[in-house]
Amino acid sequence: MNVVLAKTDTGRALSDSFALARARLPGAGKVADLRRQAFDAYERAGLPHRRIEDWKYTDLRVLMREVLPLAAAPDRAALTRADAALKLHAIKSVRRLVLVDGVFAPKLSDTADLENGLGIRTLREVLEGGDAALQAQLFTPDNSDSMVALNSAMVTDGLVIEVADGAVLTQPLHIVHIASGGTPAAMFTRSLLRLGKAAGATLVESYIATEGAKAYQVHDSLVISIGDDARLHHVRLIEDGREAFNISSAVVTLGAHAHFNTFGMTSGASVSRYQAVVVFAGKGSRVETNGVNLLNGRQHADTTLFLDHAVPNCASREIFRAVVDDRGHSVFQGRIIVRPGAQKTDAKMMTRALLLSDEAEADNKPELEIFADDVTCGHGATTGALDESLLFYLRARGLSETEAQALLIQAFVGEAIESIVNDDLRELAIAAAQRWLAARG
Amino acid sequence: MSAVQETVDRVRRIDVDQYRYGFETLIESDKAPKGLSEDTVRFISAKKNEPAWMLEWRLEAYRRWLTMTEPKWARVHYPKIDYQDLYYYSAPKKKEIGSLDEVDPEILKTYEKLGIPLREVEMLEGVVRPEGERRIAVDAVFDSVSVATTFQKELKQAGVIFMPISEAIREHPELVKKYLGTVVPTSDNYFATLNSAVFSDGSFVYVPPGVRCPMELSTYFRINERNTGQFERTLIIADKGAYVSYLEGCTAPQRDENQLHAAVVELVTLDDAEIKYSTVQNWYPGNSEGKGGIYNFVTKRGDCRGDNSKISWTQVETGSAITWKYPSCILRGDNSRGEFYSIAISNGHQQVDSGTKMIHLGKNTTSRIISKGIAAGVSQNTYRGLVTAHRKATGARNFTACDSLLIGDKCGAHTVPYIEAKNSSALFEHEATTSKISEDVLFYCVQRGLSQEEAVGLVVNGFVKDVLQQLPMEFAVEAQKLISISLEGSVG
Amino acid sequence: MPLLEVRNLQVRVEEREILHGLSLVVNKGEVHAIMGPNGSGKSTLSHVIAGKPGYEVTGGEILFEGEDLLAMSPEERSAKGVFLAFQYPVEIPGVTTMTFLRTALNAQRKARGQTEFLVPDFLRKVRKVADSLNIPMDMLKRGVNVGFSGGEKKRNEILQMALFEPSLCILDEMDSGLDIDALRVAADGVNALRSPDRAVVVITHYQRLLNYIVPDFVHVMSKGRVVKSGGKELALELEASGYARFDDAA
């Protein structure tokens, strides 16, 4: 290895770990080159810190300090523990695709009887195979973000899902990331979902851990392309262990007259960051991107969304709610750009934070960048505590303080959760929110 | 004659390039050698007959500046500034001015043309004198020096000190020492540090306890000399229970090269005091091809140091090729209040990155931000603001409304708010909208007989009304006209 | 010479022809009603006369007092005396109605080479007109149409009409969104402006309005043409039989 930069111990350890891991990383030739470039990009920048504008509120040099070594492939014991965890987080009538410690686990997954038009492969297969175009698409995420670069370099497995033109899946796809939690380690995954023209699908992603999992790091990324007239409903649930790090990125590209509805809820992990780029590449498309952070203890959760209105006549709606207790720290950064010529763009964003404790923190950065004049764009942001007069009203009607708070919090996050299209998934999110509230006591 | 009509007439009278203050005054001046070094700093300090402590203060800033780099985070793009290719000091050649009669008549003419009353009986141009006595004391800063300060005697009777800061350093060293650099420290940022090293003049105001300043104070800045940076420094202190309203205006000749303006303004309010600071910034914005214009890198900050104190910034930004400016409030005292009202207009090739910071530190502090950005031509107009409440700032309140208006499809309007709450009793509300002047509204107006230009002027003046109302009346009228002039040529 | 003469007018909007050769003659002192179903081109006609952008005149001409109206800018037409009362008057936040009225009136007067009104004269004039229309002065201190009810917006249009004293008043769907009382007030305002020096063109879908503003002539439009013209009895005929039979005529 040709290392010219002076490095910290952490940096050196990671370089070594990349060198060590290389043998396990799928793909040769062009793929190996792309990994090498990505790793160089990561090495030049290192972990993002507060002086990197996009990471202003999530300084990984302070919060994460180091990237853990690549997790070992799961052994039989790990898979058994993972299976137990799955039972606790089962969702009815979905097609389950499981990644344990960053490696696809066929025995825990449902890959039989695929609906017409649905193709599922593992990332490993694709990177080791010969489909250069698909491989190139898998490496489209922008390495100028060093955590994306790190993921590009180290990615070991994931799912590559293709839905053919006109195929509308009836069964939701559920990708489950499980940390088996034996030793502190990092997992690097990337998945791709390609929806053909007029196709339709529902994708759920869950991040969970086995009982008593140690500190671990999830480094995940997702590449989605939605064809003309296609629609995707997407739900992400971060229920990682309380010592975990979850750093995820997504790049979503929409064709014309497409529809993307996405909802994310973070109640787990010690430090999490979800950064999504949504690009409108075809006219007349619509995106709803909503989310809820439910944080307590010393949890830190950062949602950073970038909506890129590159073409005319598209609409986007963002609703974000954060409920922060104890010394939790919620971050929402929402950037909307309307590029020159993207006339008739209709973009709205509303972010609200509810602080339940004097030591809680919420940072909001809703940003508008507008380069076209015939647009309707706006954003709003509020931060505050629960309304005392409402609390009093409910208590006067006989609710305990906790019950009253729970009711108001449910109402507060309700608007974001209501946007989930699929009934079962909406119920699931509501249930998760209720569990969080119940745990507050 | 209606204001709109008058504006339009005025527009027709002025040059194609619209800027009406673009003339140059030919006078002999006394300059420091080109470039920046410790010697330049010593030269300026010596010119001002400064005490040793002031020179030390400057040198320390200069040494600090050498270690710093120009900030790059704002949405403004410009060629690299060659700091060695500037003059840091330029003063009209005429020493020891005793009375206005001794001021170079060319300079007097300049201010006359600008409509600035250096004779104590005059008023701002174009304004009907309102009922009752309403006067403005003016400090006129021409390049690096103050050439005249009016009403000093009368102000002195009230106990108000209003004088060039260079004089204040000599005459009131205890006050200057106590407050200078306490709001904007010498190490604050690249441009503020540069200013600390080389500032040449500016205004100093001290309003003693319990005094309500008997008139509006104002400073009028004029950059005249070629290749000259203007680095003025303003320090205003409102002692306990005092009140002062201060106005600032700026213009510069029309030149092909860019000129640097890096000012620092520090405001301090003690218990129960209030400062109202209004700016109409009309530096030369460059020509229609984007050539020339002022680079305006300004650090303005107010410190509500005392309980129940208030600082209010109102700005109308129409000029400069580049505006980099964030008048801010540190709400340190309990129950203190900060306000920021802004109209920022960009046309042609102008780039504006402006906003505010409201830093809530004390209990029950409140702040309000109303920002109106208007982008036309191929300009870029960014609002950038920070609202933050620290752990102990219980009961902090902020309301922010940022509205942007786009005229034409070649310009950009951007909003970058940072909203940080670190305690649960903070209540923040922020809203932002971006829109254009609707075709329907324009057609409605022209159907009723207004021209396109008049219609745009009318709608824009309606859009910015909330902010205009915050300006003292004389300035409001000027500002209203300026807004229409600035947008001249934006519709076609 | 007729006040307004529309000759064989053809108009397109985004490649679609809306008016296919429409003709109309209006003399001073007359009140014309233009009726027709939705999409017949009534509003297009009013917009083209007033000069709204977005319409392409591909044939025919419009003469106003013998002059080529289509060659004039919208504000020139306004100064000449063409007034369009909008179906949906726009809101202009931050600009008080009073300021707007004064600015517009003086712009028109100036364009006609008349002296501008001084503030006290102007106020006196506005007060008189506002009183007659039951418009409280407080309303005029608010932003133009901002927060006005449907009725208030229409009354504000009539107020402007009375104030500007145009020679041609075009009322585009004046009755839309008005209850019967509001309609009566608005119609009284219009009737008060009827004079031998002025013509009124009432564009409406319903006959109802014509009970209050009684026309001298009624024209029925269908598919971009005037398909039948007659006296006020034609409106009643329409009321009874509907527009359907005229579709065939078009």
Side-chain angles (χ1 to χ4, degrees), chain B residues 3-4 6-7 123-128 134 136 216 245-248 276 278-281 314-316 318 343 345 460-462 464-484:
Chain B
V4 173
E6 198 175 327
T7 299
M123 291 292 298
L124 280 177
E125 183 200 21
V127 177
V128 183
R134 201 176 159 87
I136 303 177
E216 310 261 1
S245 167
Y246 181 91
L247 323 171
E248 174 200 86
K276 188 172 165 57
S278 312
T279 305
V280 174
Q281 187 262 106
T314 304
Q315 61 172 26
V316 178
T318 62
I343 298 170
I345 298 183
V460 169
N461 273 307
V464 301
K465 190 178 177 190
D466 299 352
V467 176
L468 278 184
Q469 283 172 339
Q470 298 298 326
L471 284 171
M473 202 191 63
E474 294 82 353
F475 259 37
V477 176
E478 269 300 297
Q480 195 172 3
K481 292 176 194 162
L482 198 54
I483 288 164
S484 300

Side-chain angles (χ1 to χ4, degrees), chain B residues 33-248:
Chain B
K34 209 177 211 181
L36 181 55
S37 66
E38 283 207 10
D39 288 343
T40 322
V41 177
R42 288 177 199 280
F43 177 95
I44 295 168
S45 189
K47 275 282 169 197
K48 303 283 177 188
N49 290 325
E50 283 177 356
W53 62 267
M54 197 62 232
L55 175 62
E56 252 335 288
W57 197 84
R58 287 175 179 275
L59 288 172
E60 202 188 304
Y62 174 69
R63 288 170 198 140
R64 162 82 67 160
W65 181 74
L66 290 174
T67 68
M68 299 168 88
T69 49
E70 229 173 286
K72 289 282 172 244
W73 42 261
R75 183 190 282 281
V76 291
H77 304 282
Y78 52 94
K80 205 168 164 42
I81 298 171
D82 182 354
Y83 291 89
Q84 296 307 332
D85 195 33
L86 291 177
Y87 290 103
Y88 287 81
Y89 181 85
S90 168
K93 240 180 207 164
K94 180 102 186 182
K95 284 171 206 159
E96 296 305 311
I97 294 164
S99 81
L100 212 54
D101 300 331
E102 291 170 44
V103 174
D104 189 319
E106 283 300 315
I107 295 179
L108 285 183
K109 261 191 233 163
T110 301
Y111 283 93
E112 214 169 279
K113 265 175 156 173
L114 295 169
I116 305 305
L118 292 190
R119 305 271 173 198
E120 298 189 358
V121 289
E122 294 170 54
M123 291 292 298
L124 280 177
E125 183 200 21
V127 177
V128 183
R129 193 160 182 158
E131 296 296 310
E133 199 69 359
R134 201 176 159 87
R135 291 157 309 157
I136 303 177
V138 177
D139 182 15
V141 178
F142 196 84
D143 290 333
S144 306
V145 293
S146 167
V147 292
T149 310
T150 61
F151 288 106
Q152 264 179 317
K153 210 178 283 171
E154 196 174 332
L155 287 167
K156 207 169 177 181
Q157 278 169 5
V160 175
I161 303 170
F162 178 42
M163 58 171 59
I165 198 160
S166 51
E167 263 175 67
I169 290 168
R170 295 192 298 267
E171 290 179 28
H172 300 281
E174 70 300 336
L175 282 173
V176 175
K177 256 188 194 168
K178 187 171 174 189
Y179 292 105
L180 188 71
T182 63
V183 186
V184 179
T186 51
S187 57
D188 194 76
N189 70 70
Y190 189 80
F191 297 109
T193 305
L194 175 63
N195 174 287
S196 300
V198 301
F199 77 84
S200 39
D201 224 329
S203 301
F204 175 82
V205 177
Y206 173 77
V207 189
V211 171
R212 199 180 162 85
C213 188
M215 63 185 83
E216 310 261 1
L217 304 183
S218 79
T219 300
Y220 196 87
F221 296 100
R222 171 77 178 169
I223 300 178
N224 186 62
E225 199 56 45
R226 197 174 283 274
N227 289 328
T228 301
Q230 193 176 45
F231 304 93
E232 85 269 4
R233 185 124 194 157
T234 297
L235 175 59
I236 303 177
I237 303 129
D239 212 321
K240 291 179 180 174
Y243 169 84
V244 61
S245 167
Y246 181 91
L247 323 171
E248 174 200 86

Side-chain angles (χ1 to χ4, degrees), chain B residues 1-5 9 12 438-441 443-452 454 458-459 461-463 465, chain C residues 50-53 74-75 78 82-84 86 90 93-96 100 103-104 107-108 110 116 145 157 160 164:
Chain B
M1 196 156 58
S2 76
V4 173
Q5 191 50 50
D9 290 346
R12 298 228 164 87
S438 116
E439 297 294 335
D440 289 343
V441 168
F443 177 63
Y444 186 83
C445 293
V446 297
Q447 207 297 307
R448 300 299 141 94
L450 301 181
S451 68
Q452 286 275 334
E454 291 169 318
L458 190 78
V459 172
N461 273 307
F463 176 73
K465 190 178 177 190
Chain C
K52 186 172 182 173
E75 62 267 31
S78 173
V82 176
F83 183 92
L84 171 65
F86 286 63
V90 298
V95 178
T96 66
F100 179 75
T103 310
Q108 291 184 26
K110 200 162 168 238
E116 296 187 9
N145 292 325
E157 294 292 283
Q160 293 177 43
F164 301 157

Side-chain angles (χ1 to χ4, degrees), chain A residues 19 115 160 165 213 215 279 329 385 396 408 435:
Chain A
E115 290 177 62
V160 175
D165 289 354
V279 182
H329 185 178
L408 293 177
R435 272 202 303 280

Side-chain angles (χ1 to χ4, degrees), chain B residues 307-382:
Chain B
D307 293 348
N308 313 310
S309 64
K310 178 177 169 185
I311 288 176
S312 178
W313 298 99
T314 304
Q315 61 172 26
V316 178
E317 303 283 315
T318 62
S320 296
I322 290 175
T323 302
W324 181 101
K325 178 181 172 190
Y326 316 90
S328 303
C329 297
I330 302 168
L331 303 169
R332 204 183 298 277
D334 291 348
N335 310 313
S336 60
R337 178 170 175 82
E339 294 175 342
F340 175 74
Y341 298 98
S342 170
I343 298 170
I345 298 183
S346 57
N347 198 352
H349 289 259
Q350 285 177 275
Q351 303 175 60
V352 178
D353 195 301
S354 184
T356 183
K357 293 182 197 175
M358 292 293 173
I359 299 165
H360 292 258
L361 302 174
K363 292 182 173 51
N364 300 318
T365 48
T366 56
S367 60
R368 185 177 172 82
I369 299 171
I370 307 289
S371 164
K372 305 280 182 179
I374 298 152
V378 291
S379 68
Q380 298 298 326
N381 199 324
T382 302

Side-chain angles (χ1 to χ4, degrees), chain A residues 329-373:
Chain A
H329 185 178
S330 174
V331 176
F332 175 79
Q333 305 188 103
R335 187 165 152 225
I336 296 174
I337 181 165
V338 178
R339 295 195 186 268
Q343 299 292 15
K344 306 280 180 201
T345 291
D346 176 2
K348 299 217 169 52
M349 167 163 57
M350 182 71 207
T351 165
R352 296 178 66 191
L354 186 58
L355 300 182
L356 299 177
S357 133
D358 278 340
E359 291 177 310
E361 177 169 351
D363 298 321
N364 278 311
K365 190 183 166 206
E367 229 180 307
L368 292 172
E369 276 179 81
I370 316 285
F371 295 95
D373 61 338

